[in-house]
Amino acid sequence: MNKLFFLSITCFLILCSCEKKKQTYYTVKNTGALMNIMSGNLVATASLDSIQELPHVYALGALENLKGEVQVFDSESYVSKESDDNRVTIESHFNHQAALLVYAQVENWTTAINLDGFFDNNQLEQQLEIHAIKNAIDTEKPFPFLLKGTVDLLDWHVINWIDGDLVHNHKKHKESGAYGTIENQEVEIIGFYSKKHKAVFTHHTTFLHMHFRTISPTVIAGHVDGLKGSNLSLYLPKK
């Protein structure tokens, strides 16, 4: 009887341990939807405070009323806003509300995977899928990724939507706040890949949604509108 009880407890602990490991492997979660935002619904769907205590969280999104961009790298916030003098300011606290939020917890990433040079999202998507499959990631489900290195070119914006403007389109979103292009600068990019979330958390023409931060000397962070790279490394979630 004692042996049976001991075996039962042992099996239970093993199952709990396996379940815990399963839960700590990444799961992409999201609130809000781009289709709702494009229809003029800019209300908050999540508080960043809700993810503040999560370990190893990576996130991107847009603030409520489209008054800034959300970037979180390994549980560090880089929320970006346009200031009154058209510059980008970075806020490190989590006291914000988001109209769109996409996030995942990733404790372990693969070692650097060298990417071939690419000139658009389609070329990057193809490489992401190939390397994801090689690393046993189900590409039919959403997954996060990191890009690190020196970009050849990165077009970006930090949205600052005009109150009361009810006509939404991608071009106006890109040009409503601060925007620009950086070249030959070191960056870190958080991205999410999904074949099934177009108009939810990826735009209708791509499987990708990416935000970035520059490393130095001046930190800028925001939404990636265009990306070209010949010296970037890819990192994928690792079990």
Side-chain angles (χ1 to χ4, degrees), residues 191-202:
F192 290 89
Y193 175 106
S194 179
K195 297 177 180 178
K196 299 179 179 179
H197 288 84
K198 284 185 175 181
V200 179
F201 62 75
T202 75

Side-chain angles (χ1 to χ4, degrees), residues 83-185:
S83 63
D84 292 337
D85 58 359
N86 301 118
R87 297 187 179 186
V88 175
T89 61
I90 305 296
E91 298 182 0
S92 59
H93 61 82
F94 284 77
N95 186 24
H96 296 285
Q97 302 294 316
L100 174 73
L101 184 65
V102 190
Y103 66 97
Q105 291 175 258
V106 184
E107 182 175 359
N108 298 305
W109 296 89
T110 61
T111 55
I113 300 168
N114 293 327
L115 293 176
D116 295 332
F118 59 88
F119 297 93
D120 57 32
N121 277 2
N122 288 335
Q123 292 180 347
L124 177 57
E125 284 174 7
Q126 292 171 11
Q127 294 192 65
L128 281 171
E129 180 158 19
I130 290 170
H131 289 297
I133 292 171
K134 286 181 179 179
N135 283 273
I137 292 175
D138 184 355
T139 59
E140 296 303 313
K141 297 179 180 179
F143 64 87
F145 63 91
L146 293 176
L147 298 176
K148 296 182 182 182
T150 301
V151 294
D152 296 345
L153 181 147
L154 189 154
D155 293 323
W156 61 271
H157 79 263
V158 173
I159 198 164
N160 186 13
W161 194 249
I162 299 173
D163 293 334
D165 189 345
L166 302 180
V167 180
H168 291 261
N169 59 58
H170 189 52
K171 184 175 186 295
K172 286 177 68 175
H173 278 204
K174 289 167 60 175
E175 297 177 355
S176 69
Y179 61 93
T181 299
I182 61 175
E183 298 181 65
N184 302 316
Q185 195 165 345

Side-chain angles (χ1 to χ4, degrees), residues 174-220:
K174 289 167 60 175
E175 297 177 355
S176 69
Y179 61 93
T181 299
I182 61 175
E183 298 181 65
N184 302 316
Q185 195 165 345
E186 187 179 0
V187 303
E188 181 176 15
I189 295 171
I190 172 62
F192 290 89
Y193 175 106
S194 179
K195 297 177 180 178
K196 299 179 179 179
H197 288 84
K198 284 185 175 181
V200 179
F201 62 75
T202 75
H203 294 287
H204 67 281
T205 59
T206 180
F207 295 151
L208 308 180
H209 192 161
M210 297 180 288
H211 284 206
F212 80 102
R213 70 179 180 104
T214 54
I215 303 303
S216 62
T218 302
V219 176
I220 300 174

